[in-house]
Structure formats: C-alpha cells, structure tokens
C-alpha cells in the first residue's frame, strides 16, 4: 500500500525481534529504514536481507544504555538521509528482579534502556522535526505489564510505566508541532529475546511456546509481524490525528475477572 513511501524511519533496537519485524514492514511500505543495536552481526545481517529484497536500509551500532550514543545514532541517521520522519523505540531489557532482590545496579540498567534511551532518542528526533518545521510520528513499544505486571518484573515495570507517562507528556507538548507520539502495550510475544529469557530465568524447554500458547485465549503468543503491521499504521498518515494514545495490544483484558 505504500503507507510509508519516502519516509525515513529509525527503529531503535531494530536488529532482532519486534524491532526487526517493524523494520521489515516499514521497508515493504516504502520507507528508508535505519536500525540500531548493540551487536553488529544481527544488525548488518538484517540490513543485507532488506537490501537483497530491494529495500534501502542502514545499521547504526549503538549501546542505547548510553544516552549520548542514543542521541548520536539519531544524528548519524540525519547525516545519512537528511532527516528523521518516524521513530520507533523498540529496545527493551527484560531481566528479572523483585522489589526485595533488585539491586540499584539492576534498577539503573532498566531505567537506562527502557526509559532514558527512549527519552533522548525522542529528544533528538523531535529536535530534527521541529527544526525543519515538519510533521513526524513516534511509536514507543511498551508492555501490558506496565499496568502492574508480575512480582519478578519490578524494575522493568517501573521503567516502562515511566515510558507511558513520557509518551503522553511528549505527545501533549508537541501536538502543535504536528508530531504525533503514541505507545503500544504489547503482551507476551514470541521473539528470540523472549526465548532466551524464558530459558535463562524460568528453566523453560524448547517447547515452551507451545505450552504457553495452549494457556492463552487466542491459542498463540503475540506475533512480531502482526505487531509490526500495527506500528506501521500508527506511523503512517492513515492513523490520522491520533496522538498521546497508549494502546493495549494484548489478548487479556485489563480489569476483566473470571
């Protein structure tokens, strides 16, 4: 459909999982895409895949836990393509910790990746949009756990709940700049990162996806490509004037009780 024809889209944390799916979907819809990530190998492999399919993409290696690198990666995209039209913050840290066993170091790691990095990436992208007096769109990938979550997600929930507040604050602040900023609270999703997390922290076997799917209302986990299609819609002009919305993209209903 060409929903993002000629748009420059920066996907932070875009070298794998949901971020990579968003990058693929954006290219299919006509965008020029830049993806960031800590590890060069998956990022460069994704860019090569997109190029082989006729897409235009670049990889920027960056540790988003460092706010200066988050800002510098956006500046590198502007230098390469002249602008940023759309930003997706999809990088996330999901390591476990409860209220009682979370160390200050672990808490700071979650704040750095799940809140501070999106803050300064948005700062850089919106600065470019405002300087050009051009409209833009941003989607923050958050989590349904931000409503409360499991006890073992205390630092993760703390940071992601902050990202909800930031999403709404920034959307309000820049609505007259025609910069639309929305968030997506995704539920349990089948990604490479989730596979590693389940095995590292919960002793899951190779069949954990099938076992988890059997317990879920729709009989499957969230799929990255489905999330990606929705993100592309939010980035595109087809989502109209919507801004400041944080949408629950999940199969469990907040407040519903059995």
């Amino acid at each position: 459909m060409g929903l993002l024809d000629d748009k420059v889209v920066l996907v932070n944390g875009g070298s794998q999982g949901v971020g990579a799916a968003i990058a693929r979907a954006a290219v299919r819809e006509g965008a020029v895409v830049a993806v960031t990530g800590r590890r060069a190998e998956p990022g460069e492999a994704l860019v090569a895949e997109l190029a082989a399919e006729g897409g235009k993409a670049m990889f920027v290696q960056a540790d988003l836990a460092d706010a200066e690198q988050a800002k510098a990666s956006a500046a590198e995209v502007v230098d390469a393509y002249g602008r940023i039209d759309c930003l997706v913050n999809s990088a996330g840290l999901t390591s476990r910790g409860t209220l009682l066993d979370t160390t200050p170091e672990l808490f700071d790691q979650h704040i750095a990746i799940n809140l501070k990095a999106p803050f300064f990436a948005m700062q850089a992208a919106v600065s470019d949009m405002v300087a050009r007096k051009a409209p833009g769109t941003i989607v923050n990938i958050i989590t349904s756990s931000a409503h409360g979550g499991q006890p073992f997600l205390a630092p993760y929930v703390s940071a992601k709940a902050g990202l909800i507040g930031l999403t709404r604050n920034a959307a309000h602040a820049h609505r007259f700049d025609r910069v639309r900023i929305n968030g997506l609270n995704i539920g349990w999703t089948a990604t490479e990162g989730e596979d590693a997390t389940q095995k590292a922290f919960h002793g899951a076997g190779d069949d954990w996806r099938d076992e988890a799917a059997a317990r879920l209302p729709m009989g499957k986990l969230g799929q990255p490509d489905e999330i990606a299609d929705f993100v592309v819609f939010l980035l595109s002009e087809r989502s109209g004037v919507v801004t400041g919305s944080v949408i629950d993209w999940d199969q469990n209903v907040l407040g519903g009780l059995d």
Side-chain angles (χ1 to χ4, degrees):
M1 293 175 63
L3 290 176
L4 298 177
D5 275 347
D6 300 321
K7 300 294 186 184
V8 176
V9 179
L10 170 57
V11 184
N12 281 326
S15 59
Q16 63 179 15
V18 170
I22 292 168
R24 293 184 182 100
V27 166
R28 285 197 302 271
E29 292 295 337
V32 174
V33 172
V35 297
T36 67
R38 286 187 299 110
R39 296 186 297 121
E41 184 176 354
E44 291 171 351
L46 175 63
V47 167
E49 171 197 325
L50 296 175
E53 296 174 358
K56 187 174 182 181
M58 67 180 288
F59 172 66
V60 180
Q61 188 169 8
D63 182 355
L64 297 175
D66 181 343
E68 292 305 317
Q69 290 190 45
K71 293 193 290 185
S73 63
E76 189 168 337
V77 175
V78 172
D79 287 343
Y81 296 130
R83 66 190 192 278
I84 296 173
D85 298 305
C86 310
L87 168 67
V88 180
N89 285 307
S90 64
L93 178 68
T94 59
S95 53
R96 295 347 196 183
T98 71
L99 178 65
L100 299 182
D101 64 22
T102 295
T103 63
E105 292 77 17
L106 178 60
F107 186 85
D108 287 346
Q109 290 169 13
H110 277 271
I111 294 297
I113 291 292
N114 296 324
L115 180 56
K116 192 174 182 180
F119 186 103
F120 286 102
M122 289 168 64
Q123 182 186 82
V126 174
S127 293
D128 171 66
M129 296 166 187
V130 169
R132 292 184 294 107
K133 297 183 179 179
T137 50
I138 296 173
V139 174
N140 291 321
I141 304 300
I142 313 178
T143 173
S144 58
S145 293
H147 293 299
Q150 296 95 326
F152 55 76
L153 293 178
Y156 176 69
V157 168
S158 299
K160 288 292 194 176
L163 184 53
I164 288 178
L166 171 60
T167 298
R168 290 176 173 145
N169 178 271
H172 175 73
H174 292 285
R175 66 200 193 281
F176 283 103
D177 294 316
R178 296 178 297 153
V179 176
R180 298 190 296 112
I181 305 172
N182 295 292
L184 204 59
N185 280 337
I186 64 173
W188 204 0
T189 305
T191 64
E192 305 99 308
E194 182 62 17
D195 181 66
T197 295
Q198 288 298 318
K199 291 175 178 177
F201 292 100
H202 302 287
D206 291 336
D207 60 348
W208 72 266
R209 291 182 183 84
D210 293 334
E211 293 180 356
R215 303 195 303 268
L216 293 171
M218 308 299 168
K220 66 176 185 178
L221 281 80
Q223 300 300 306
D225 61 331
E226 296 169 352
I227 295 169
D229 288 343
F230 195 74
V231 170
V232 164
F233 171 75
L234 289 175
L235 292 174
S236 77
E237 294 178 1
R238 292 299 300 154
S239 55
V241 299
V242 174
T243 193
S245 292
V246 178
I247 301 160
D248 287 335
W249 197 96
D250 198 5
Q251 56 194 299
N252 292 307
V253 179
L254 180 66
L257 298 172
D258 293 321

